Amino acid sequence: MKKQFVFILLCLCVTASAQVKSYFPAADQWERKTPTSLRVDSNLIQQAIQYALTHETKYPRNLMLSQAMQFGKEPFSDPIGPMASRGPVAGVIVYKGFIIAEWGNLNAVEMVNSVTKSMVSTVVGLAVQKGLIRSIEDKVYSYLPPIELVNTPTTDQNPIHQTAFIYPFDSEHNQKINWNHLLRQTSDWEGVLWGKPDWADRPSDKQDEWTTRKRFEPGTVYKYNDTRVNALALAATAVWRKPLPEVLREQVMQPIGASNTWAWTGYKNAWIVLDGKMIQSVSGGGHFGGGLFINAYDMARFGLLTLRKGNWNGKQIIAEDWINQSLTPTTANT
C-alpha cells in the first residue's frame, strides 16, 4: 500500500482536565502554543520532528515513477487519473486543538493516496445521517439507477452490442453486497470498473486463477482493493446524485474552516450522467491516480474533527456513532 506522502502527526493524547475548554481553530487562523505551555516535553517533540525529517520514503518524489516502481508489475496498472510530484517532508503536530509544532511547507497541496478512503467513508456516513441510505445492511443494488456513461465504449463496432449504461451491482454475486461490506472491504465485488478489473489490483501470483478465482460470500473475507472502493464511490455518487467533492466541501470542509485549495479527483474515463448533468465519479485512492490532494493544515482539521468524534465546536458534523463504527473491527479482519 502506498504511504501517505504528507507527513502529518496528530497527537491524540487526551487529558481529563475540566478546566480547559476544547479549542477549535477558526477558518482564518489557528492558534499556536509552545509544547511546554501545555506540559508537553519539547525535547521529545524535537525528536519526533527529526525522525520525520530523516525517514522520508525512499520512493521518488515523481509519483508517476513511484507508482510504476510499486505497482508496475500489476496488469492494467497504468494511472488513468492525475498525479502530482510530492514536495519535501512537512508536518504539523496538533495537541488539544492547538498547533504546537510544524515544519516544512504546510500549504503545499499533496496527494494523500489511500487517506482518501476516509473521505469516501465520511460521505457515505453523511448519506446515512440524511436518510439517503436507510441502513448500511441494505443491498447496494437496490439504491442505484442505471449508470449512464458519458464515454460509451467504442471497441465493439456492432451497434446492437453497444450500451450507454453499466450495472455494477447486478450480477448474482454482487447483488448480495451491502453497504457495510463495501465500507469494510469484505464485499469481494466482481467486475471491471473504469477499465480496472477487480482481480488486477494486487493480484494473486497464480496468473491462471486471475479470471477464474473463487468467489467468497460478502462479509467473510477481507481484501484491500481500490477497484472495489471505486465501486463504493460510484454508488455513493448515485445516491447523492451530485459530485462527492461537492458533498464533502459543503457538509464537512467548509464547516471546519478548511481552505479552498484541496481537490478530490477521479479518472479521465470515470464520467457519468445523472439528472442530465455530467459528473465525475471520484476515486477512493491514488493507486491508479486521482483521489484527494490536500495541504497539511486542512488534513489536520479533518483529523481533529475525527478525534473529537465528528463534533466541531458544538456542531455534530459527522455522527459520533459513525466514527465509532469506523473504529470497530470485523471478524473478517480483526
Side-chain angles (χ1 to χ4, degrees), residues 223-333:
K223 173 72 162 55
Y224 192 94
N225 188 286
D226 275 60
T227 297
R228 293 174 186 147
V229 175
N230 291 338
L232 172 59
L234 173 61
T237 303
V239 165
W240 277 102
R241 304 192 81 87
K242 60 182 178 180
L244 296 186
E246 184 178 327
V247 176
L248 186 71
R249 183 180 69 252
E250 293 175 353
Q251 302 293 324
V252 179
M253 302 305 275
Q254 286 182 341
I256 67 175
S259 75
N260 204 32
T261 65
W262 61 273
W264 189 1
T265 71
Y267 306 143
K268 60 186 178 183
N269 60 339
W271 287 89
I272 62 175
V273 179
L274 274 176
D275 300 331
K277 299 177 293 186
M278 285 179 56
I279 295 175
Q280 187 180 45
S281 182
V282 291
S283 60
H287 190 73
F288 305 114
L292 185 69
F293 298 76
I294 192 169
N295 73 40
Y297 289 127
D298 289 345
M299 192 72 247
R301 285 177 182 267
F302 185 82
L304 184 59
L305 174 68
T306 305
L307 176 63
R308 299 276 170 83
K309 295 296 183 76
N311 188 288
W312 192 267
N313 205 19
K315 181 180 179 180
Q316 198 66 41
I317 294 175
I318 306 170
E320 182 174 351
D321 180 62
W322 189 259
I323 301 292
N324 291 334
Q325 287 186 67
S326 301
L327 299 173
T328 305
T330 65
T331 54
N333 184 9

Side-chain angles (χ1 to χ4, degrees), residues 163-179:
T163 176
F165 297 104
I166 58 173
Y167 304 86
F169 290 89
D170 268 14
S171 72
E172 181 180 355
H173 173 80
N174 288 351
Q175 284 190 4
K176 302 176 184 178
I177 295 171
N178 64 34
W179 295 97

Side-chain angles (χ1 to χ4, degrees), residues 80-294:
I80 51 176
M83 304 187 82
S85 295
R86 60 182 172 83
V89 173
V92 55
I93 300 178
V94 176
Y95 180 60
K96 293 184 178 181
F98 301 100
I99 291 177
I100 62 170
E102 51 198 321
W103 62 98
N105 180 9
L106 300 186
N107 289 307
V109 177
E110 301 272 6
M111 185 178 187
V112 297
N113 294 283
S114 285
V115 176
T116 310
K117 292 173 175 59
S118 295
M119 308 301 172
V120 178
S121 170
T122 297
V123 295
V124 174
L126 292 170
V128 174
Q129 284 177 228
K130 293 185 177 297
L132 300 176
I133 297 173
R134 294 177 295 276
S135 168
I136 59 173
E137 303 303 324
D138 287 350
K139 300 298 188 291
V140 177
Y141 83 91
S142 66
Y143 282 78
L144 304 188
I147 304 296
E148 181 184 355
L149 299 176
V150 171
N151 300 307
T152 304
T154 57
T155 53
D156 186 348
Q157 298 304 311
N158 186 337
I160 67 173
H161 289 172
Q162 294 292 332
T163 176
F165 297 104
I166 58 173
Y167 304 86
F169 290 89
D170 268 14
S171 72
E172 181 180 355
H173 173 80
N174 288 351
Q175 284 190 4
K176 302 176 184 178
I177 295 171
N178 64 34
W179 295 97
N180 200 21
H181 297 144
L182 287 172
L183 287 160
R184 298 191 179 280
Q185 302 238 54
T186 62
S187 71
D188 204 39
W189 182 90
E190 62 179 6
V192 179
L193 185 61
W194 315 133
K196 305 298 183 181
D198 67 274
W199 51 263
D201 187 340
R202 301 165 180 85
S204 162
D205 56 1
K206 300 176 181 178
Q207 297 181 5
D208 57 333
E209 296 179 2
W210 282 356
T211 59
T212 60
R213 66 175 182 82
K214 175 184 177 182
R215 267 57 173 175
F216 297 101
E217 283 297 304
T220 62
V221 175
Y222 172 86
K223 173 72 162 55
Y224 192 94
N225 188 286
D226 275 60
T227 297
R228 293 174 186 147
V229 175
N230 291 338
L232 172 59
L234 173 61
T237 303
V239 165
W240 277 102
R241 304 192 81 87
K242 60 182 178 180
L244 296 186
E246 184 178 327
V247 176
L248 186 71
R249 183 180 69 252
E250 293 175 353
Q251 302 293 324
V252 179
M253 302 305 275
Q254 286 182 341
I256 67 175
S259 75
N260 204 32
T261 65
W262 61 273
W264 189 1
T265 71
Y267 306 143
K268 60 186 178 183
N269 60 339
W271 287 89
I272 62 175
V273 179
L274 274 176
D275 300 331
K277 299 177 293 186
M278 285 179 56
I279 295 175
Q280 187 180 45
S281 182
V282 291
S283 60
H287 190 73
F288 305 114
L292 185 69
F293 298 76
I294 192 169

Side-chain angles (χ1 to χ4, degrees), residues 37-89:
S37 70
L38 295 175
R39 298 183 179 179
V40 176
D41 189 326
S42 59
N43 291 325
L44 293 178
I45 292 296
Q46 288 304 314
Q47 288 179 34
I49 294 173
Q50 189 60 32
Y51 184 91
L53 292 171
T54 56
H55 285 77
E56 180 178 358
T57 175
K58 300 302 182 183
Y59 284 105
R61 291 181 179 176
N62 182 317
L63 296 191
M64 287 291 289
L65 181 57
S66 178
Q67 199 271 358
M69 293 171 68
Q70 293 180 82
F71 300 110
K73 293 183 179 180
E74 292 183 0
F76 308 106
S77 63
D78 287 349
I80 51 176
M83 304 187 82
S85 295
R86 60 182 172 83
V89 173

